[in-house]
Amino acid sequence: MGMRYRQYLHGARIYGCSQCKTHLATIHSMISRAFNGQHGRAYLFEVVVNVIEGEPADRQMTTGNHTVRDIYCVKCGTTLGWKYDRAYEPSQKYKEGKFILERNLLVDVQ
Amino acid sequence: MRLTDADGFQEPSSYDSGPEAGPSSFGLDGVVGRPMGITNGHGASTNGYSNGTSGPGCGPHQPSHTRKASSSSIARVNLPGTTLYDDTFVDREEFVRLVIQSLRDVGYIESAATLEAESGYTMETSEVSKFRQYVLDGAWEQAETMLVRLGVSDEEGLWEVRFLISQQKYLELLEEENTTAALHVLRNEIAPLDVDPDQLHSLSSLMMCTDVADLRQRAGWDGVSGSSRRRLLSHLQQYIPSSLMIPPRRLSTLLGHSLQYQRANCLYHNAPLSLTSPNPKSSFTLYADHQCDKDKCFPRVTTTILEGHVDEVWAIEWSHCGRRLASAGSDRCAVIWRIGPETDSSIRTYSAEHVLRDHTFPVGYLAWSLDDSVLLTASEHTIKMWNTKTGMHIRALDAHNDTVTSLAWLPDGSGFISGGLDRKIILWDADGKQRDTWGTTSIRVTDLAITPDFTRVVAVGMHYLASLPSSGGNGRGESVTPPTGGGGAHPHNATNGSTGSENRMIIYDLATKQTEASIRLDGELTSVKISYDSQFALINQAPDEIHLWDLSTGRIARKFTGQRQGRHVIRSCFGGIDGNFIVSGSEDGNVYVWHRDTGTLLEVLTGHGAGSVNSVTWNPMNERMFASCSDDNTIRIWEAPEVQEPILTSEQDLEETAGKGKGKSRERWDGEGGSNPRPAPL
């Protein structure tokens, strides 16, 4: 896969991995705060960087069935949330290709 | 000068003008052409040959009639036209005069005279010879008069020559400790010339010199007995038309140009070729155009594959002695390999001397100390120092709080500089004590290098844009904030990436840490190397380009394309005997080599397996060897396919049978049938 540097974001507010401060997403990229994860409140983002995506799996969520992948921090490997590959409910299609990060696993970084 | 018919060579009366031509060589080193004042047999003449080599038949006591007798028997050859050959541009007179000059320079005085007689051309007029002798004898007034006669007429030229002559006069008088006369020259000759006040001041300050040695040292001048008059002569000669007074060693100069031209056109040039000093290994001959044999000179076959890493190899670096190779990568190990001294690659031994473990994260950078006793490794935010003799960990340096991306030792070995994605550049002592810091720079450093002349640090990286408060138009159309820096790697970010992604090369003054230049570049920058002469920086720039920057002008001098680079850290280097090759890894798994001065892509070397070739390094002691490392977990050693020294042939045959037993074999070259190079075990 070759050597890569982590990406760095800039903006008014940057969310990083609470374990290792790796940049993950900016507030500009946030779509919604109204999500819930395993650790409580979670945010939906348009773009998340520096994550490794796991294998796809179908999960039954409160809004219906989805194909999702867990996402891990590229540096420390912490599970941070998931990515939506596919939403079966037409009303939930907007989530496809978007990312969930759990608020309790994020910190503000610069 | 073509003699007129009236100057017929058979006429003894006009004959003197020819052989009186003085020395055409006055090497500044003073070895050649001491003004010996040898008469050439013509009793009255005082300005005879002074080549320092009195050839047979031209000694001071040679009876004058000998020469006349021999010369007068030479028949003048009359040729049609004015060129050397019918169909060339070379002027025959010019050519012959240069030949005469060369003959005289080496001491073939008789041959030169014969050639003058036969061709009817003389090397120079008696006036030129006289002028030379006046200068060498310190007859300043006559020299100045003669300069006018030799065509120095414009104001500026006259001013210059007068100043140069008066200055020499002044210094010589000071040397004689004749201060009164020197002062007279200063006041009545130099001062009226309206010279620059500073220059006048520094000249007059020489009056205060305590002794002659002090004078010579402070004036940067080596006295009458040294080469100062010859230097003066060469300065003065610049104002005389070269057709009158041929510049010294002119033919040799022209042949030197020819050599330079041939070398510039030799794309695979990788052999010693000295322009200034005799070199027994020099492959330059006047008989044929120079062309390096790429099969003999250029390292284009894999002679060894080093296996042992269990994951991708990202960094690779030769020790300064060229006998050891350090490699490191995502398996969190660095390895020091020892390369056997055998010149024959088929019997050379390789061993993994030390495996440097204890890295928590992958290792991305390596740097050998100047004496090769310490190896630095960079693993995430930690720098580790290792004893290369014992393989022991010396200490870990934890001043960075983000990935350390680059390490560079100072040219004097007294310490090193580290750069990181935390925007810090830190200067360390050789024992790992923090000596100085650049503070927080404006870029997240992805690589840096120090110029060998100790003047500059060239850093590349992602420009840091301070987070702006959401003001005014900031929100417009930016529902998605693109990642900066590496953003260029992601196509889907490219739409907004142009505003946020900014990469820069920053040139710092090493002594003052001041920014000399900060240049915005498009695309991710992953590698910077400096040329041997400190003039150029070689920078890998995604996507798919390598640029050679002229550091003094801040402009791109050359671009190299062909290799693939999009997402990964790919590194390149200079190589070859003159640093005239550019080598780079590539994401397509090949090694790319270009000719630096023309940008020509010379080789695309295949062999590595799937994934990127991440880095390359040219052996500093062997211009015909380099190494590459890859995502395929291996390192390849590349060499010229043929052993150079023919003496080795017999030994080679002997070793071949013995070699097989040792598991080292000649079939390590790839691309030749199915024979797989055997890996050297870790």
Side-chain angles (χ1 to χ4, degrees):
Chain A
M1 155 209 174
M3 180 177 175
R4 291 187 69 180
Y5 295 128
R6 290 188 293 277
Q7 295 183 58
Y8 290 85
L9 304 171
H10 71 93
R13 194 168 177 192
I14 300 164
Y15 298 103
C17 169
S18 62
Q19 290 293 310
C20 68
K21 314 277 193 291
T22 292
H23 287 202
L24 298 172
T26 67
I27 196 161
H28 292 289
S29 153
M30 188 188 287
I31 299 167
S32 168
R33 294 177 193 266
F35 280 75
N36 286 303
Q38 291 177 325
H39 305 274
R41 188 52 60 95
Y43 303 151
L44 182 70
F45 288 95
E46 182 80 32
V47 176
V48 169
V49 299
N50 299 322
V51 289
I52 298 167
E53 295 171 10
E55 291 303 307
D58 277 5
R59 274 182 217 163
Q60 190 61 43
M61 305 203 170
T62 49
T63 51
N65 200 20
H66 295 80
T67 306
V68 300
R69 299 164 181 268
D70 283 339
I71 54 177
Y72 312 94
C73 171
V74 74
K75 181 178 177 188
C76 66
T78 303
T79 308
L80 297 163
W82 62 86
K83 179 189 180 186
Y84 292 101
D85 270 11
R86 187 178 168 202
Y88 289 86
E89 296 290 327
S91 64
Q92 304 303 316
K93 286 284 183 196
Y94 75 96
K95 290 190 269 186
E96 288 182 358
K98 309 290 193 289
F99 300 82
I100 291 289
L101 292 175
E102 306 226 23
R103 192 181 67 181
N104 288 332
L105 302 177
L106 300 179
V107 287
D108 281 4
V109 292
Q110 272 311 313
Chain B
M1 297 288 99
R2 179 178 272 282
L3 296 176
T4 61
D5 285 344
D7 288 333
F9 254 54
Q10 312 303 326
E11 298 288 329
S13 60
S14 60
Y15 171 58
D16 276 1
S17 62
E20 270 177 5
S24 52
S25 162
F26 49 97
L28 294 179
D29 51 5
V31 175
V32 185
R34 281 180 295 128
M36 289 163 64
I38 301 168
T39 65
N40 59 7
H42 300 269
S45 173
T46 56
N47 51 353
Y49 307 122
S50 51
N51 295 60
T53 319
S54 41
C58 68
H61 306 299
Q62 201 67 27
S64 59
H65 64 263
T66 310
R67 161 169 295 242
K68 283 188 182 177
S70 65
S71 299
S72 56
S73 63
I74 305 289
R76 160 95 172 267
V77 178
N78 283 303
L79 300 170
T82 60
T83 54
L84 187 58
Y85 300 105
D86 286 346
D87 52 353
T88 65
F89 67 91
V90 178
D91 183 89
R92 190 168 65 236
E93 176 178 344
E94 291 182 359
F95 174 77
V96 170
R97 289 176 67 200
L98 295 196
V99 172
I100 296 169
Q101 184 191 45
S102 317
L103 291 174
R104 289 228 168 109
D105 284 347
V106 297
Y108 297 138
I109 309 299
E110 284 298 318
S111 300
T114 304
L115 181 52
E116 287 190 331
E118 195 168 20
S119 67
Y121 303 124
T122 53
M123 188 186 91
E124 59 193 20
T125 64
S126 61
E127 285 173 334
V128 172
S129 314
K130 279 180 187 155
F131 165 70
R132 175 181 294 111
Q133 208 55 46
Y134 290 148
V135 174
L136 296 179
D137 292 347
W140 306 123
E141 270 176 47
Q142 289 100 315
E144 209 176 307
T145 316
M146 195 58 90
L147 270 168
V148 180
R149 287 176 61 185
L150 290 174
V152 183
S153 52
D154 64 298
E155 282 295 311
E156 205 174 315
L158 278 172
W159 186 91
E160 279 287 341
V161 299
R162 286 199 178 115
F163 173 73
L164 289 169
I165 289 175
S166 300
Q167 179 179 253
Q168 175 79 13
K169 218 159 126 182
Y170 170 72
L171 291 171
E172 289 191 8
L173 288 166
L174 282 181
E175 193 183 29
E176 290 168 19
E177 296 180 333
N178 187 347
T179 321
T180 320
L183 192 60
H184 186 268
V185 170
L186 191 65
R187 282 186 180 154
N188 299 303
E189 294 186 24
I190 299 179
L193 287 172
D194 281 333
V195 294
D196 175 49
D198 287 345
Q199 205 170 6
L200 195 61
H201 180 77
S202 74
L203 278 175
S204 60
S205 73
L206 295 172
M207 290 265 187
M208 305 300 156
C209 290
T210 48
D211 56 24
V212 173
D214 186 30
L215 168 74
R216 288 177 183 168
Q217 208 245 321
R218 283 173 54 182
W221 180 81
D222 64 358
V224 176
S225 57
S227 63
S228 69
R229 285 182 179 173
R230 290 176 197 292
R231 281 175 194 278
L232 174 66
L233 185 60
S234 86
H235 282 136
L236 294 177
Q237 189 168 350
Q238 289 165 15
Y239 299 94
I240 301 172
S242 56
S243 59
L244 279 177
M245 190 170 182
I246 304 168
R249 301 186 182 193
R250 184 63 192 158
L251 193 55
S252 177
T253 305
L254 290 173
L255 293 173
H257 293 165
S258 168
L259 171 53
Q260 278 171 342
Y261 170 81
Q262 290 177 31
R263 183 167 66 173
N265 282 282
C266 178
L267 290 181
Y268 283 90
H269 186 71
N270 203 18
L273 205 60
S274 175
L275 287 170
T276 50
S277 61
N279 185 337
K281 284 168 76 186
S282 180
S283 55
F284 183 67
T285 167
L286 293 180
Y287 298 134
D289 285 354
H290 170 79
Q291 193 71 46
C292 280
D293 183 344
K294 80 172 179 183
D295 290 326
K296 283 186 183 156
C297 297
F298 189 79
R300 48 200 284 272
V301 295
T302 300
T303 52
T304 303
I305 297 174
L306 302 177
E307 274 191 350
H309 282 285
V310 295
D311 206 337
E312 298 171 358
V313 189
W314 289 348
I316 192 170
E317 203 66 49
W318 287 104
S319 64
H320 296 88
C321 71
R323 290 258 171 262
R324 290 194 283 177
L325 181 68
S327 61
S330 60
D331 65 1
R332 294 178 286 168
C333 286
V335 177
I336 296 177
W337 306 84
R338 181 168 283 281
I339 316 310
E342 300 85 356
T343 48
D344 182 351
S345 60
S346 63
I347 56 162
R348 196 185 302 129
T349 54
Y350 290 80
S351 59
E353 205 170 52
H354 300 294
V355 180
L356 315 177
R357 302 179 201 276
D358 299 339
H359 296 101
T360 320
F361 291 98
V363 182
Y365 214 94
L366 299 160
W368 292 85
S369 65
L370 215 58
D371 62 1
D372 293 333
S373 66
V374 174
L375 181 72
L376 303 175
T377 59
S379 174
E380 276 299 337
H381 57 279
T382 305
I383 301 165
K384 282 178 186 272
M385 301 180 71
W386 302 85
N387 182 324
T388 61
K389 205 173 243 173
T390 62
M392 298 296 284
H393 180 221
I394 302 171
R395 63 171 57 92
L397 313 176
D398 271 322
H400 284 277
N401 43 33
D402 207 333
T403 311
V404 177
T405 54
S406 42
L407 298 162
W409 285 86
L410 294 172
D412 67 352
S414 67
F416 57 90
I417 287 178
S418 61
L421 295 177
D422 56 2
R423 294 155 56 206
K424 286 183 185 169
I425 297 178
I426 298 172
L427 173 60
W428 308 80
D429 277 333
D431 59 1
K433 271 204 282 298
Q434 200 170 323
R435 193 201 290 177
D436 201 354
T437 170
W438 264 247
T440 305
T441 66
S442 62
I443 53 171
R444 298 186 187 277
V445 178
T446 53
D447 199 3
L448 61 75
I450 302 173
T451 57
D453 66 4
F454 221 140
T455 60
R456 290 165 168 154
V457 175
V458 180
V460 295
M462 317 163 193
H463 190 42
Y464 177 81
L465 300 170
S467 53
L468 302 165
S470 300
S471 63
N474 205 24
R476 112 189 94 89
E478 287 198 343
S479 61
V480 177
T481 300
T484 58
H490 282 288
H492 68 268
N493 291 331
T495 46
N496 287 336
S498 57
T499 53
S501 167
E502 186 174 327
N503 299 281
R504 278 185 179 269
M505 163 175 70
I506 301 186
I507 305 171
Y508 293 102
D509 182 295
L510 178 54
T512 65
K513 295 181 288 184
Q514 295 300 305
T515 300
E516 277 183 28
S518 174
I519 299 169
R520 182 177 172 168
L521 306 175
D522 296 323
E524 201 173 352
L525 312 172
T526 60
S527 170
V528 53
K529 293 280 180 4
I530 308 291
S531 61
Y532 308 160
D533 64 3
S534 300
Q535 289 304 300
F536 298 96
L538 183 69
I539 293 175
N540 275 58
Q541 187 171 333
D544 303 340
E545 290 202 359
I546 300 173
H547 294 174
L548 187 68
W549 285 84
D550 186 329
L551 292 175
S552 48
T553 63
R555 290 171 193 276
I556 295 179
R558 199 77 59 202
K559 288 186 183 185
F560 306 96
T561 54
Q563 93 290 5
R564 292 282 158 240
Q565 176 174 5
R567 310 154 62 86
H568 298 159
V569 175
I570 302 289
R571 297 193 175 112
S572 58
C573 71
F574 293 93
I577 192 142
D578 301 323
N580 206 31
F581 299 128
I582 302 295
V583 195
S584 179
S586 171
E587 288 178 14
D588 63 9
N590 298 322
V591 176
Y592 285 74
V593 187
W594 296 263
H595 184 248
R596 173 175 132 177
D597 292 342
T598 61
T600 309
L601 178 61
L602 298 177
E603 297 283 336
V604 180
L605 302 172
T606 57
H608 274 299
S612 294
V613 173
N614 298 304
S615 188
V616 286
T617 175
W618 206 279
N619 191 312
M621 300 305 283
N622 180 353
E623 73 272 8
R624 293 172 189 182
M625 179 192 272
F626 74 93
S628 60
C629 64
S630 157
D631 285 354
D632 70 4
N633 304 1
T634 72
I635 296 145
R636 279 178 176 248
I637 307 289
W638 302 85
E639 288 178 87
E642 286 183 27
V643 177
Q644 290 308 297
E645 284 73 21
I647 311 157
L648 284 179
T649 325
S650 55
E651 289 176 35
Q652 202 177 310
D653 291 340
L654 284 173
E655 291 287 354
E656 201 172 344
T657 37
K660 287 204 169 112
K662 293 197 301 192
K664 282 281 176 180
S665 50
R666 287 161 60 82
E667 70 269 17
R668 280 168 186 275
W669 307 346
D670 55 351
E672 289 188 349
S675 56
N676 269 331
R678 273 181 68 169
L682 181 63

